[in-house]
Amino acid sequence: MSNSIQGEALIGGRAVIGAGATFKAFDPNLELAIEPEFRAVNAAQVAEACDLAGQAFDSFRATTDEQRADFLEQIAAQIGALGDELIVRAMAESGLPRARLEGERGRTVNQLKLFAELLREGSWQDARIDSALPQRQPPRPDLRLRFIGVGPVAVFGASNFPLAFSVAGGDTAAALAAGCPVVVKAHSAHPGTSELVGRAVVEAVRRCELHPGTFALLSGSGHGIGETLVKHPAIQAVGFTGSRSGGLALMAAAASRPQPIPVYAEMSSINPVVLLPGALAARGAEIAAGFATSLTMGVGQFCTNPGLLLGLAGKEFDAFASAAAEALKPLPAATMLTAGIAQAYQRGEDTLASQDAVTSLVRGESAGCKGAPSLFTVSGDAFLANTHALSAEIFGPASLLVACRDLDQLLQIIEGLEGQLTATLQLQEDSESDLAAARRLLPALERKVGRILANGFPTGVEVSTAMVHGGPFPATSDGRSSSVGTAAIQRFLRPVSYQNLPRALLPEVLREPNERGVWRRRDGTLTRN
């Protein structure tokens, strides 16, 4: 299959022309449409992709861990083989700079390889064995448990990560590692980038001799395709990164099915940063500079952007506010991902600036597809009086600085926040008062967020075994899960227990002897024996 962009969807291992409305990608830097023309798929084509995924499920989940690891590594190799064509197209469709996209391609390839390592290590199946106790009254049967894939997964590409959270991104890698076929709805902002990566995945499917329904790529815009995809009976789980309205719409569609299914949606977060007095006194200017860099990274279009700063009113707080404003003022407006995102950012700025008691410390000129940094400030009393409006996410380089009268009020504000992806503690480790304040805040932060940082900034999410990229609603629809790191595989698994099955019928990971030496919990003890 050619790697060139043809404006096609990919279903059943072949390129197909959508039967729906036409559309083109848009270059936000040039503010011009980009060739070629794409066609959205229609309901029949969505159904075909889902039916094929259902047909592929049993054979794909029956592949060995080694075979699926090879498959993931083959996808990584095929993405690498796309070369500069992929980067150039992604730059045009997203407005993101080359260095950012080259780094994102590396992350995409590396997370595929990380899941391959997980499969070869084997413990992802969480194998458990309770040996038979025939002499016990009542007797205990032989019980063995492992986790298997839930079934075909629908994945929705994200606007802000055209590679790492898109066609072959973290959701797709986790689902394929779990043995689940994947049907991807490409984001309409970067259809050409998506097609290139989709062709790389299809080529990997072919080379690994897998069922052609193992992967499909659907093109189009609007809610109709997504709802049709989520409601198809073959789909058993959904991975989504995007707006709260989009996530809630998919959750409603999934819940309305005769058989409801889980939607793992990452939707909304303002990621509070707590500025403790000792840290501000010791290195307030340094923290302000780091904050400005974090806030404006990627024009603020990260789900972990520091959109809320909480500190105790006083001279150190005032000095920080001045330093942060001075760091942001010279930074120019920059191109945002899409015209729609830029317009939404500008509306968010205007709404926040219009709130009573809110003061604008920095307000750059945002226009067209460009967004400029903004910093606002408000008192803790005013924030508590209008929490709903003042804690709304603004997707872009805007943040609100809250001057709390004391630690009690700061804690009260944290308790009133919605669920978040992250919280950050800027503290001085040799300050007993900072440590005491942090100890008091930690229980509330643990209830509110998925990741707690000290003396850093939340932008930049390491892809690793110990990372959590999730949090209580509305940060995600299910705060028990992560969309980054190897823990992400757990979203697409379910447990199966086998009682008194003959060895010949047991899955390899539950047989005796333990030929692969996989970690298993036998009679309550974790062992490789």
Side-chain angles (χ1 to χ4, degrees):
M1 177 181 290
S2 168
N3 284 332
S4 62
I5 300 169
Q6 302 294 325
E8 297 168 327
L10 304 168
I11 299 173
R14 57 188 175 84
V16 299
I17 300 296
T22 62
F23 67 101
K24 291 182 179 180
F26 183 80
D27 186 327
N29 269 318
L30 301 177
E31 300 193 15
L32 294 172
I34 314 171
E35 297 292 340
E37 187 174 78
F38 288 78
R39 275 192 176 275
V41 295
N42 65 8
Q45 290 170 319
V46 174
E48 180 186 4
C50 294
D51 287 340
L52 287 169
Q55 295 166 24
F57 178 46
D58 279 343
S59 64
F60 184 53
R61 74 183 183 90
T63 56
T64 65
D65 288 352
E66 182 65 31
Q67 287 172 319
R68 287 201 306 290
D70 287 345
F71 173 47
L72 295 177
E73 290 174 341
Q74 184 61 231
I75 295 173
Q78 293 302 316
I79 291 173
L82 293 171
D84 205 46
E85 181 184 7
L86 176 63
I87 301 301
V88 170
R89 182 70 187 201
M91 289 169 62
E93 291 184 335
S94 68
L96 294 171
R98 173 179 287 275
R100 154 70 192 274
L101 287 167
E102 288 177 343
E104 191 180 327
R105 177 174 59 186
R107 171 177 170 167
T108 305
V109 166
N110 288 337
Q111 64 192 3
L112 287 162
K113 293 179 179 179
L114 184 66
F115 278 106
E117 292 174 6
L118 177 71
L119 290 174
R120 292 192 173 102
E121 185 267 341
S123 65
W124 67 274
Q125 294 185 77
D126 195 12
R128 306 179 186 197
I129 299 171
D130 293 327
S131 302
L133 297 175
Q135 305 306 317
R136 196 194 71 176
Q137 292 301 321
R140 185 174 78 184
D142 180 272
L143 291 166
R144 297 168 187 250
L145 176 150
R146 68 159 177 167
F147 280 75
I148 67 168
V150 296
V153 173
V155 170
F156 289 77
S159 64
N160 58 339
F161 282 88
L163 299 174
F165 275 84
S166 190
V167 176
D171 288 345
T172 297
L176 293 176
C180 300
V182 171
V183 180
V184 175
K185 163 59 177 68
H187 197 283
S188 57
H190 31 80
T193 303
S194 298
E195 185 181 331
L196 287 172
V197 177
R199 288 175 180 273
V201 180
V202 169
E203 178 62 16
V205 169
R206 186 190 68 80
R207 292 190 178 208
C208 293
E209 300 181 342
L210 299 173
H211 190 292
T214 300
F215 172 83
L217 176 70
L218 307 179
S219 54
S221 60
H223 294 301
I225 296 172
E227 289 195 14
T228 301
L229 173 58
V230 169
K231 287 184 176 181
H232 192 283
I235 298 299
Q236 295 299 299
V238 178
F240 171 84
T241 299
S243 68
R244 188 188 301 204
S245 61
L248 291 176
L250 294 181
M251 291 168 64
S256 71
R257 292 171 34 137
Q259 174 222 359
I261 59 172
V263 175
Y264 297 101
E266 182 193 311
M267 297 178 288
S268 178
S269 186
I270 56 173
N271 309 297
V273 177
V274 177
L275 307 167
L276 293 174
L280 291 186
R283 47 191 175 85
E286 176 188 336
I287 296 170
F291 159 70
T293 299
S294 179
L295 180 69
T296 57
M297 184 182 298
V299 203
Q301 298 165 115
F302 288 104
C303 44
T304 52
N305 211 42
L308 183 67
L309 298 165
L310 304 173
L312 304 185
K315 63 178 183 180
E316 289 88 0
F317 182 90
D318 292 341
F320 170 84
S322 296
E326 289 304 309
L328 289 170
K329 282 176 183 176
L331 301 179
T335 302
M336 301 192 78
L337 291 160
T338 69
I341 287 173
Q343 291 163 9
Y345 173 66
Q346 293 156 25
R347 289 194 300 270
E349 284 184 298
D350 291 341
T351 299
L352 188 53
S354 69
Q355 298 295 318
D356 292 341
V358 170
T359 300
S360 299
L361 297 179
V362 177
R363 187 76 191 276
E365 291 197 20
S366 300
C369 289
K370 294 187 181 296
S374 294
L375 181 62
F376 305 90
T377 188
V378 72
S379 71
D381 290 337
F383 187 91
L384 288 170
N386 196 15
T387 297
H388 178 73
L390 297 179
S391 61
E393 181 186 31
I394 301 175
F395 192 62
S399 191
L400 178 64
L401 183 57
V402 183
C404 306
R405 64 172 179 268
D406 53 30
L407 190 63
D408 287 340
Q409 186 174 71
L410 194 154
L411 179 58
Q412 185 181 1
I413 289 173
I414 290 173
E415 292 283 10
L417 293 177
E418 296 181 312
Q420 307 292 330
L421 292 171
T422 76
T424 302
L425 291 165
Q426 290 289 347
L427 56 87
Q428 198 66 11
E429 293 188 41
D430 59 2
S431 167
E432 285 300 325
S433 60
D434 275 14
L435 291 175
R439 289 189 190 99
R440 188 174 174 200
L441 297 174
L442 271 171
L445 295 177
E446 288 172 340
R447 283 187 275 106
K448 291 289 181 179
V449 312
R451 176 166 59 110
I452 301 171
L453 302 81
N455 297 332
F457 291 95
T459 43
V461 180
E462 183 69 24
V463 180
S464 67
T465 59
M467 176 53 67
V468 171
H469 191 60
F473 183 89
T476 58
S477 55
D478 188 337
R480 298 170 296 175
S481 65
S482 173
S483 64
V484 174
T486 54
I489 196 174
Q490 295 166 7
R491 296 171 298 162
F492 306 123
L493 297 172
R494 67 176 182 85
V496 176
S497 182
Y498 304 85
Q499 182 170 326
N500 288 338
L501 257 68
R503 181 186 183 281
L505 298 180
L506 284 170
E508 178 194 42
V509 74
L510 296 178
R511 292 178 186 170
E512 309 300 346
N514 181 9
E515 294 179 352
R516 285 179 59 193
V518 173
W519 285 104
R520 306 188 299 186
R521 190 169 296 279
R522 173 182 278 282
D523 298 325
T525 300
L526 200 59
T527 177
R528 282 179 165 169
N529 295 330

